Amino acid sequence: MEIRVLKYFLAVAREESVAKAAEVLHITQPTLSRQLNKLEEETGVKLFERGARKISLTNEGILLRRRAEEIVALADKTERELMEQEEFVDGRISIGCGILSSCGLLADIMKGFSEKYPLVKYDVFTANADMVKERMNRGLIDVGLMLEPVEIDRFEFIRLDIREKWVLLTSPDSPLSGCEYVTADDLSKIPLIFPGRQNVQNEVINWFGDKFDSLNIICVNNFAASSLDMAKNGLGSLVTLDGAVPFLDNRELCKIPLKPELSFTSVFAWRRHQPFSLAAEKFIQFIKETLKGLK
């Protein structure tokens, strides 16, 4: 006894007409009549009283109707539940990101997504925004978390409310180590290690204004982690993002905010019109829903 045939039976019982039921079901009347005859043969009982104007149910038909309604409802519920079984989504999602304060939000999103889709795995590529964007353009990364400014004309994106603040990391022996903040004038007096990404450099240069020409930039480096060792060894003081040094040992380097504050935004981004795996599609949708819920 097929679920499909039980649905046919219930339609005829509801419409009290084979013709009307066939129209509702979008099948031909002869096809429906054959299915009903086959159902009576399978059950071995007469289910319908066929009158001139309408069809009514026999006692056996009334019993089958009650059971059929329960069976069809259970089948529909089971089908919905199976479609909603999120744990059956699997695969790998490739994510690119810098070392940013907003990485904490990324970790929260990944954790929430894993609770919903426990079979999904992740490949995370850590680099600056230019490198992440280049890999997304090549189809090697599904979703990128990138520090602005970055050109994202080809991407869909969501700008985050989290501010990525810039700080100075300097030796405890530096004359600036006890300062509550540092200004462009303060930084013009000491050797500096500067960020290597050009778009970011331009924004930092604007912050320095006319003091930039007097800076002693002793080193340019595009990766804050290796710059830390240079700063620890006394090569210079490091101008970097606060989020890029989450495990800073204050005994080795002092962290001092810039004044006026210099901060950038970051974005979640993915390529427009790119075919994604089911896991990646659901991850992007999860990002959208999560960030919408935070507003």
Side-chain angles (χ1 to χ4, degrees):
M1 194 180 299
E2 298 179 23
I3 300 296
R4 172 178 56 85
V5 177
L6 289 179
K7 289 181 177 180
Y8 291 172
F9 166 76
L10 290 173
V12 173
R14 183 173 58 252
E15 300 297 331
E16 298 182 335
S17 166
V18 174
K20 290 180 180 178
E23 184 177 348
V24 169
L25 296 168
H26 304 292
I27 61 175
T28 65
Q29 185 173 336
T31 298
L32 181 54
S33 295
R34 283 197 300 272
Q35 293 294 332
L36 296 177
N37 291 335
K38 185 178 178 181
L39 180 60
E40 287 184 318
E41 290 174 6
E42 288 178 352
T43 58
V45 296
K46 186 178 180 181
L47 300 172
F48 299 98
E49 292 289 353
R50 294 167 172 83
R53 292 182 174 273
K54 68 176 184 178
I55 291 179
S56 59
L57 295 176
T58 62
N59 289 336
E60 292 81 0
I62 292 172
L63 175 60
L64 178 60
R65 180 177 186 172
R66 287 201 295 265
R67 294 293 181 261
E69 288 173 341
E70 295 172 357
I71 293 169
V72 169
L74 180 60
D76 289 345
K77 181 175 183 293
T78 303
E79 184 177 355
R80 288 195 302 271
E81 288 176 344
L82 286 174
M83 292 177 65
E84 293 168 0
Q85 284 296 303
E86 310 289 19
E87 63 267 25
F88 292 130
V89 176
D90 61 6
R92 303 191 74 86
I93 299 170
S94 56
I95 302 170
C97 65
I99 305 177
L100 307 167
S101 296
S102 48
C103 284
L105 175 59
L106 172 61
D108 288 341
I109 289 174
M110 292 170 67
K111 179 176 182 293
F113 191 77
S114 289
E115 291 172 352
K116 194 173 184 181
Y117 304 97
L119 299 181
V120 173
K121 308 301 180 187
Y122 307 91
D123 294 320
V124 178
F125 174 77
T126 302
N128 66 35
D130 294 334
M131 296 175 69
V132 169
K133 186 182 75 170
E134 189 269 336
R135 289 177 73 90
M136 279 201 291
N137 279 328
R138 291 165 54 196
L140 301 176
I141 287 177
D142 297 316
V143 177
L145 174 59
M146 300 182 289
L147 179 71
E148 294 192 285
V150 59
E151 292 187 13
I152 46 179
D153 294 342
R154 299 181 181 179
F155 298 86
E156 291 185 44
F157 66 92
I158 300 176
R159 183 168 287 111
L160 304 183
D161 291 334
I162 300 170
R163 302 298 302 186
E164 304 286 349
K165 297 180 181 179
W166 288 81
V167 296
L168 179 76
L169 300 183
T170 192
S171 165
D173 298 329
S174 167
L176 298 178
S177 63
C179 295
E180 182 180 354
Y181 55 84
V182 289
T183 64
D185 185 58
D186 296 327
L187 299 186
S188 66
K189 302 170 185 175
I190 59 173
L192 296 175
I193 302 170
F194 223 60
R197 189 174 150 224
Q198 189 60 54
N199 287 351
V200 170
Q201 274 192 25
N202 293 339
E203 296 295 328
V204 177
I205 288 170
N206 288 337
W207 180 85
F208 277 99
D210 57 10
K211 293 290 182 182
F212 180 76
D213 291 336
S214 61
L215 295 182
N216 177 16
I217 301 175
I218 196 168
C219 178
V220 173
N221 193 328
N222 71 336
F223 197 58
S226 58
S227 296
L228 279 177
D229 289 330
M230 298 172 188
K232 291 174 186 177
N233 289 332
L235 179 65
S237 297
L238 174 60
V239 179
T240 189
L241 290 170
D242 190 7
V245 286
F247 307 113
L248 180 67
D249 187 339
N250 293 326
R251 294 170 298 180
E252 296 180 316
L253 290 172
C254 301
K255 181 169 64 178
I256 309 171
L258 307 185
K259 186 175 182 180
E261 179 183 288
L262 175 63
S263 64
F264 298 164
T265 52
S266 54
V267 294
F268 276 116
W270 51 91
R271 283 197 65 180
R272 289 193 184 99
H273 313 305
Q274 176 171 313
F276 291 103
S277 67
L278 178 60
E281 284 183 0
K282 287 189 173 291
F283 186 66
I284 291 169
Q285 185 60 37
F286 189 81
I287 289 173
K288 293 178 179 178
E289 293 171 355
T290 300
L291 296 182
K292 184 178 180 180
L294 294 177
K295 292 183 177 179

Coordinates of all heavy atoms in Angstrom, one line a residue, residues 192-264:
L192 N 60.5 52.6 13.6 CA 59.2 51.9 13.5 C 59.3 50.7 12.6 O 60.0 50.8 11.6 CB 58.1 52.9 13.0 CG 57.8 54.1 13.9 CD1 56.8 55.0 13.2 CD2 57.2 53.6 15.3
I193 N 58.5 49.7 12.9 CA 58.2 48.6 12.0 C 56.8 48.8 11.5 O 55.8 49.0 12.3 CB 58.3 47.3 12.8 CG1 59.7 47.2 13.4 CG2 58.0 46.1 11.8 CD1 59.9 46.0 14.3
F194 N 56.6 48.8 10.2 CA 55.4 49.3 9.6 C 54.7 48.2 8.9 O 55.3 47.2 8.4 CB 55.8 50.4 8.6 CG 54.9 51.6 8.6 CD1 54.7 52.4 9.7 CD2 54.1 52.0 7.5 CE1 53.9 53.5 9.8 CE2 53.3 53.1 7.5 CZ 53.2 53.8 8.6
P195 N 53.3 48.2 8.8 CA 52.6 47.2 8.0 C 53.0 47.2 6.6 O 53.2 48.3 6.0 CB 51.1 47.6 8.3 CG 51.2 49.0 8.6 CD 52.4 49.3 9.3
G196 N 53.0 46.0 5.9 CA 53.5 45.9 4.6 C 52.4 46.1 3.5 O 52.7 46.3 2.3
R197 N 51.1 45.9 3.8 CA 50.1 45.9 2.8 C 49.8 47.3 2.4 O 49.6 48.2 3.2 CB 48.8 45.3 3.4 CG 47.7 45.1 2.4 CD 46.5 44.3 3.0 NE 45.3 44.7 2.4 CZ 44.2 45.0 3.0 NH1 44.1 44.9 4.3 NH2 43.2 45.4 2.3
Q198 N 49.9 47.6 1.1 CA 49.9 48.9 0.5 C 48.6 49.7 0.9 O 48.7 50.9 1.3 CB 50.0 48.9 -1.0 CG 50.3 50.3 -1.6 CD 51.5 50.9 -1.1 OE1 52.6 50.4 -1.1 NE2 51.4 52.2 -0.6
N199 N 47.4 49.1 0.7 CA 46.2 49.8 1.0 C 46.1 50.2 2.5 O 45.7 51.3 2.8 CB 45.0 49.0 0.7 CG 44.7 48.8 -0.8 OD1 45.4 49.5 -1.6 ND2 43.8 48.0 -1.2
V200 N 46.6 49.4 3.3 CA 46.6 49.7 4.8 C 47.7 50.8 5.0 O 47.4 51.7 5.8 CB 47.0 48.4 5.6 CG1 47.2 48.8 7.0 CG2 45.8 47.4 5.5
Q201 N 48.8 50.7 4.4 CA 49.8 51.7 4.6 C 49.3 53.1 4.3 O 49.6 54.0 5.0 CB 51.0 51.4 3.7 CG 52.1 50.5 4.2 CD 53.3 50.5 3.4 OE1 53.6 51.5 2.7 NE2 54.1 49.4 3.5
N202 N 48.5 53.2 3.2 CA 48.0 54.5 2.8 C 47.1 55.1 3.9 O 47.2 56.3 4.1 CB 47.2 54.3 1.5 CG 48.1 54.0 0.3 OD1 49.3 54.2 0.3 ND2 47.5 53.4 -0.7
E203 N 46.3 54.3 4.5 CA 45.4 54.8 5.6 C 46.2 55.2 6.8 O 45.9 56.2 7.4 CB 44.4 53.7 6.0 CG 43.4 53.3 4.9 CD 42.5 54.4 4.5 OE1 42.2 55.3 5.4 OE2 42.1 54.5 3.3
V204 N 47.3 54.4 7.1 CA 48.1 54.8 8.3 C 48.9 56.0 8.0 O 49.1 56.9 8.8 CB 49.0 53.6 8.6 CG1 50.0 54.0 9.7 CG2 48.3 52.3 9.0
I205 N 49.4 56.2 6.7 CA 50.1 57.4 6.3 C 49.2 58.6 6.5 O 49.6 59.7 6.9 CB 50.6 57.2 4.9 CG1 51.7 56.2 4.8 CG2 51.0 58.6 4.3 CD1 52.1 55.8 3.4
N206 N 47.9 58.5 6.1 CA 47.0 59.6 6.2 C 46.8 60.0 7.7 O 46.7 61.2 8.0 CB 45.6 59.2 5.7 CG 45.6 59.2 4.1 OD1 46.5 59.8 3.5 ND2 44.7 58.4 3.6
W207 N 46.9 59.0 8.6 CA 46.7 59.3 10.0 C 47.9 60.1 10.5 O 47.8 61.0 11.3 CB 46.6 57.9 10.8 CG 46.5 58.1 12.3 CD1 45.4 58.3 13.0 CD2 47.6 58.1 13.3 NE1 45.6 58.5 14.3 CE2 47.0 58.4 14.5 CE3 49.0 58.0 13.2 CZ2 47.7 58.4 15.7 CZ3 49.7 58.0 14.3 CH2 49.1 58.3 15.6
F208 N 49.1 59.8 10.0 CA 50.3 60.5 10.4 C 50.3 61.9 9.9 O 50.9 62.8 10.5 CB 51.6 59.8 10.0 CG 52.0 58.7 10.9 CD1 51.7 57.4 10.6 CD2 52.7 58.9 12.1 CE1 52.1 56.3 11.4 CE2 53.1 57.9 12.9 CZ 52.8 56.6 12.6
G209 N 49.7 62.1 8.8 CA 49.6 63.5 8.2 C 51.0 64.0 7.8 O 51.9 63.3 7.3
D210 N 51.3 65.2 8.1 CA 52.6 65.8 7.8 C 53.7 65.3 8.6 O 54.9 65.6 8.3 CB 52.5 67.4 7.8 CG 52.1 67.9 9.2 OD1 52.1 67.1 10.2 OD2 51.9 69.1 9.4
K211 N 53.5 64.5 9.6 CA 54.5 63.9 10.4 C 55.2 62.7 9.7 O 56.2 62.2 10.1 CB 54.0 63.4 11.7 CG 53.6 64.6 12.7 CD 54.8 65.4 13.1 CE 54.3 66.5 14.1 NZ 55.5 67.3 14.5
F212 N 54.5 62.2 8.6 CA 54.9 61.0 8.0 C 56.4 61.1 7.4 O 57.2 60.2 7.5 CB 54.0 60.5 6.9 CG 54.4 59.2 6.2 CD1 54.2 58.0 6.8 CD2 55.0 59.3 5.0 CE1 54.7 56.8 6.2 CE2 55.4 58.1 4.3 CZ 55.2 56.9 5.0
D213 N 56.7 62.2 6.8 CA 58.0 62.4 6.2 C 59.1 62.4 7.2 O 60.3 62.1 6.8 CB 58.0 63.7 5.4 CG 57.1 63.7 4.2 OD1 56.8 62.6 3.7 OD2 56.6 64.8 3.8
S214 N 58.8 62.6 8.4 CA 59.9 62.6 9.4 C 60.0 61.2 10.2 O 60.8 61.1 11.1 CB 59.6 63.7 10.5 OG 58.4 63.5 11.2
L215 N 59.2 60.2 9.7 CA 59.2 58.9 10.4 C 60.5 58.2 10.0 O 61.0 58.3 8.9 CB 58.0 58.1 10.0 CG 56.6 58.6 10.4 CD1 55.6 57.6 9.9 CD2 56.6 58.8 11.9
N216 N 61.0 57.4 11.0 CA 62.1 56.5 10.8 C 61.5 55.1 10.7 O 61.5 54.3 11.7 CB 63.1 56.6 11.9 CG 64.3 55.6 11.8 OD1 64.5 55.1 10.7 ND2 65.0 55.4 12.9
I217 N 61.1 54.7 9.5 CA 60.5 53.4 9.2 C 61.7 52.4 8.9 O 62.2 52.4 7.8 CB 59.5 53.4 8.1 CG1 58.4 54.3 8.5 CG2 58.9 52.0 7.9 CD1 57.3 54.5 7.4
I218 N 62.1 51.7 9.9 CA 63.3 50.8 9.7 C 63.0 49.5 9.0 O 63.9 48.9 8.5 CB 63.9 50.6 11.1 CG1 65.4 50.1 10.9 CG2 63.1 49.7 12.0 CD1 66.2 50.1 12.2
C219 N 61.7 49.1 9.1 CA 61.3 47.8 8.5 C 59.9 47.8 8.1 O 59.0 48.4 8.8 CB 61.6 46.7 9.5 SG 61.1 45.0 8.9
V220 N 59.5 47.2 7.0 CA 58.2 47.0 6.5 C 57.9 45.5 6.5 O 58.7 44.7 5.9 CB 57.9 47.6 5.2 CG1 56.5 47.2 4.6 CG2 58.0 49.1 5.2
N221 N 56.8 45.0 7.1 CA 56.6 43.6 7.2 C 55.1 43.4 7.0 O 54.3 44.1 7.7 CB 57.1 43.0 8.5 CG 57.1 41.5 8.6 OD1 56.3 40.8 7.9 ND2 58.0 41.0 9.3
N222 N 54.6 42.4 6.2 CA 53.2 42.2 6.0 C 52.6 41.1 7.0 O 51.5 40.8 6.8 CB 53.0 41.7 4.6 CG 53.4 40.3 4.3 OD1 54.3 39.8 5.0 ND2 52.9 39.6 3.3
F223 N 53.4 40.7 7.9 CA 52.9 39.7 8.9 C 53.3 40.0 10.3 O 54.5 40.0 10.6 CB 53.5 38.3 8.5 CG 52.7 37.1 9.1 CD1 51.3 37.0 8.9 CD2 53.3 36.2 9.9 CE1 50.6 35.9 9.4 CE2 52.6 35.2 10.5 CZ 51.3 35.0 10.2
A224 N 52.3 40.3 11.1 CA 52.6 40.9 12.4 C 53.3 39.9 13.3 O 54.1 40.3 14.2 CB 51.2 41.3 13.1
A225 N 53.1 38.6 13.1 CA 53.7 37.6 14.0 C 55.2 37.7 14.0 O 55.9 37.6 15.0 CB 53.2 36.2 13.7
S226 N 55.7 37.7 12.7 CA 57.2 37.8 12.6 C 57.7 39.2 13.0 O 58.9 39.3 13.5 CB 57.6 37.5 11.2 OG 57.0 38.4 10.3
S227 N 56.9 40.2 12.9 CA 57.3 41.6 13.3 C 57.4 41.6 14.8 O 58.2 42.4 15.4 CB 56.3 42.6 12.9 OG 56.2 42.7 11.5
L228 N 56.7 40.8 15.5 CA 56.8 40.8 17.0 C 58.2 40.5 17.5 O 58.7 41.1 18.4 CB 55.8 39.8 17.6 CG 54.3 40.2 17.7 CD1 53.5 39.0 18.3 CD2 54.2 41.4 18.7
D229 N 58.8 39.5 16.9 CA 60.1 39.1 17.3 C 61.1 40.2 17.0 O 62.0 40.5 17.8 CB 60.6 37.8 16.5 CG 59.9 36.6 17.0 OD1 59.5 36.6 18.2 OD2 59.7 35.7 16.2
M230 N 60.9 40.9 15.9 CA 61.8 42.1 15.6 C 61.6 43.2 16.6 O 62.6 43.8 17.1 CB 61.5 42.6 14.2 CG 61.7 41.6 13.1 SD 61.1 42.2 11.5 CE 61.3 40.7 10.5
A231 N 60.4 43.4 17.0 CA 60.1 44.4 18.1 C 60.7 44.0 19.4 O 61.3 44.8 20.2 CB 58.7 44.7 18.2
K232 N 60.6 42.7 19.8 CA 61.1 42.2 21.0 C 62.6 42.3 21.1 O 63.2 42.5 22.1 CB 60.7 40.7 21.2 CG 59.2 40.5 21.5 CD 58.9 39.0 21.5 CE 57.5 38.7 21.6 NZ 57.1 37.3 21.5
N233 N 63.3 42.1 19.9 CA 64.7 42.2 19.8 C 65.3 43.6 19.7 O 66.5 43.8 19.5 CB 65.3 41.4 18.7 CG 65.1 39.9 18.9 OD1 65.1 39.4 20.1 ND2 64.9 39.1 17.8
G234 N 64.4 44.6 19.8 CA 64.8 46.0 19.8 C 65.0 46.6 18.5 O 65.6 47.7 18.4
L235 N 64.6 46.0 17.4 CA 64.8 46.6 16.1 C 64.0 47.9 15.9 O 64.5 48.9 15.3 CB 64.4 45.6 14.9 CG 64.5 46.1 13.5 CD1 66.0 46.4 13.2 CD2 63.9 45.2 12.5
G236 N 62.8 47.9 16.5 CA 62.0 49.1 16.4 C 60.6 48.8 17.1 O 60.4 47.7 17.6
S237 N 59.8 49.8 17.2 CA 58.4 49.7 17.7 C 57.5 49.4 16.6 O 57.6 49.9 15.5 CB 58.0 51.0 18.5 OG 58.9 51.2 19.6
L238 N 56.5 48.5 16.9 CA 55.7 47.9 15.9 C 54.3 48.7 15.8 O 53.6 48.7 16.9 CB 55.5 46.4 16.1 CG 54.5 45.7 15.2 CD1 54.9 45.8 13.7 CD2 54.3 44.3 15.7
V239 N 53.9 49.2 14.7 CA 52.6 49.7 14.5 C 51.8 48.6 13.9 O 52.0 48.1 12.8 CB 52.6 50.9 13.5 CG1 51.2 51.5 13.3 CG2 53.5 52.0 14.1
T240 N 50.7 48.2 14.6 CA 50.0 47.0 14.2 C 48.6 47.0 14.7 O 48.2 47.9 15.5 CB 50.7 45.7 14.6 OG1 50.1 44.6 14.0 CG2 50.6 45.6 16.2
L241 N 47.8 46.1 14.3 CA 46.4 45.9 14.8 C 46.4 45.3 16.1 O 47.2 44.3 16.4 CB 45.6 45.0 13.8 CG 45.2 45.6 12.5 CD1 44.7 44.5 11.6 CD2 44.2 46.7 12.6
D242 N 45.5 45.7 17.0 CA 45.4 45.1 18.3 C 45.1 43.6 18.2 O 45.6 42.8 18.9 CB 44.3 45.8 19.1 CG 44.3 45.4 20.6 OD1 45.2 44.7 21.0 OD2 43.4 45.9 21.3
G243 N 44.1 43.3 17.3 CA 43.7 41.9 17.1 C 44.8 41.0 16.5 O 44.6 39.8 16.6
A244 N 45.8 41.6 16.0 CA 46.9 40.7 15.4 C 47.8 40.2 16.4 O 48.7 39.3 16.1 CB 47.7 41.6 14.3
V245 N 47.7 40.6 17.6 CA 48.6 40.1 18.7 C 47.8 39.7 19.9 O 47.9 40.3 21.0 CB 49.6 41.2 19.1 CG1 50.7 41.4 18.0 CG2 48.9 42.6 19.3
P246 N 46.9 38.6 19.8 CA 46.0 38.3 20.8 C 46.7 37.7 22.1 O 46.2 37.7 23.2 CB 45.1 37.2 20.2 CG 45.9 36.7 19.1 CD 46.8 37.8 18.6
F247 N 48.0 37.2 21.9 CA 48.6 36.5 23.0 C 49.9 37.2 23.4 O 50.9 36.6 23.7 CB 49.0 35.0 22.6 CG 47.8 34.3 22.1 CD1 47.7 33.9 20.8 CD2 46.7 34.0 23.0 CE1 46.6 33.2 20.3 CE2 45.6 33.3 22.5 CZ 45.6 32.9 21.2
L248 N 49.8 38.5 23.4 CA 51.0 39.4 23.7 C 51.4 39.2 25.2 O 50.6 39.2 26.1 CB 50.6 40.8 23.5 CG 51.7 41.8 23.7 CD1 52.9 41.7 22.7 CD2 51.2 43.3 23.7
D249 N 52.7 39.0 25.4 CA 53.3 39.0 26.8 C 53.7 40.4 27.1 O 54.6 41.0 26.5 CB 54.5 38.1 26.8 CG 55.0 37.9 28.2 OD1 54.7 38.7 29.1 OD2 55.7 36.9 28.4
N250 N 53.0 41.0 28.1 CA 53.2 42.4 28.4 C 54.6 42.6 29.1 O 55.0 43.8 29.2 CB 52.1 42.9 29.4 CG 50.8 43.0 28.7 OD1 50.7 43.3 27.5 ND2 49.7 42.7 29.4
R251 N 55.2 41.5 29.5 CA 56.5 41.7 30.0 C 57.6 41.9 28.9 O 58.7 42.4 29.2 CB 56.9 40.5 30.8 CG 56.1 40.3 32.1 CD 56.3 38.9 32.7 NE 56.0 37.8 31.8 CZ 56.1 36.5 32.1 NH1 56.5 36.1 33.2 NH2 55.7 35.6 31.2
E252 N 57.2 41.6 27.7 CA 58.2 41.7 26.6 C 57.9 42.9 25.8 O 58.8 43.6 25.3 CB 58.1 40.5 25.7 CG 58.5 39.2 26.4 CD 58.4 38.0 25.5 OE1 57.4 37.9 24.8 OE2 59.4 37.2 25.5
L253 N 56.6 43.3 25.6 CA 56.3 44.5 24.8 C 55.1 45.2 25.5 O 54.2 44.5 26.0 CB 55.9 44.1 23.4 CG 57.0 43.6 22.5 CD1 56.5 43.1 21.2 CD2 58.0 44.7 22.2
C254 N 55.1 46.5 25.4 CA 54.0 47.3 26.0 C 53.0 47.6 24.8 O 53.5 48.0 23.7 CB 54.5 48.5 26.6 SG 55.6 48.2 28.0
K255 N 51.8 47.6 25.0 CA 50.8 47.9 24.0 C 50.2 49.3 24.3 O 49.6 49.4 25.4 CB 49.7 46.8 23.9 CG 48.6 47.1 22.9 CD 47.8 45.9 22.6 CE 47.0 45.5 23.8 NZ 46.1 44.4 23.6
I256 N 50.3 50.2 23.4 CA 49.8 51.6 23.7 C 48.8 52.0 22.5 O 49.2 51.9 21.3 CB 51.0 52.6 23.7 CG1 52.0 52.0 24.7 CG2 50.5 53.9 24.2 CD1 53.3 52.9 24.7
P257 N 47.6 52.5 22.8 CA 46.7 52.9 21.7 C 47.2 54.2 21.1 O 47.9 55.0 21.7 CB 45.4 53.1 22.4 CG 45.8 53.3 23.9 CD 47.0 52.5 24.1
L258 N 46.8 54.4 19.8 CA 47.1 55.6 19.1 C 46.1 56.7 19.4 O 44.9 56.4 19.6 CB 47.2 55.4 17.6 CG 48.0 54.2 17.1 CD1 48.0 54.2 15.6 CD2 49.5 54.3 17.6
K259 N 46.5 57.9 19.4 CA 45.5 59.0 19.6 C 45.8 60.1 18.5 O 47.0 60.6 18.4 CB 45.6 59.6 21.0 CG 44.6 60.7 21.3 CD 44.6 61.2 22.7 CE 43.5 62.2 23.0 NZ 43.5 62.7 24.3
P260 N 44.8 60.5 17.8 CA 43.4 60.0 17.8 C 43.4 58.6 17.4 O 44.3 58.1 16.7 CB 42.7 61.0 16.8 CG 43.8 61.4 15.9 CD 45.0 61.5 16.7
E261 N 42.3 57.9 17.7 CA 42.1 56.5 17.4 C 42.2 56.3 15.9 O 41.6 57.0 15.2 CB 40.8 56.0 18.0 CG 40.6 54.5 17.7 CD 39.2 54.0 18.2 OE1 39.1 53.9 19.4 OE2 38.4 53.8 17.3
L262 N 42.9 55.2 15.6 CA 43.0 54.8 14.2 C 42.3 53.3 14.2 O 42.9 52.4 14.8 CB 44.4 54.7 13.6 CG 44.6 54.2 12.2 CD1 43.8 55.0 11.2 CD2 46.1 54.0 11.9
S263 N 41.3 53.2 13.4 CA 40.6 51.9 13.4 C 40.0 51.6 12.0 O 39.6 52.6 11.4 CB 39.6 51.7 14.5 OG 38.5 52.6 14.3
F264 N 40.0 50.4 11.6 CA 39.4 50.0 10.3 C 38.2 49.0 10.6 O 38.1 48.5 11.7 CB 40.4 49.3 9.4 CG 41.6 50.1 9.0 CD1 42.7 49.5 8.5 CD2 41.5 51.5 9.2 CE1 43.8 50.3 8.1 CE2 42.6 52.3 8.8 CZ 43.8 51.7 8.3

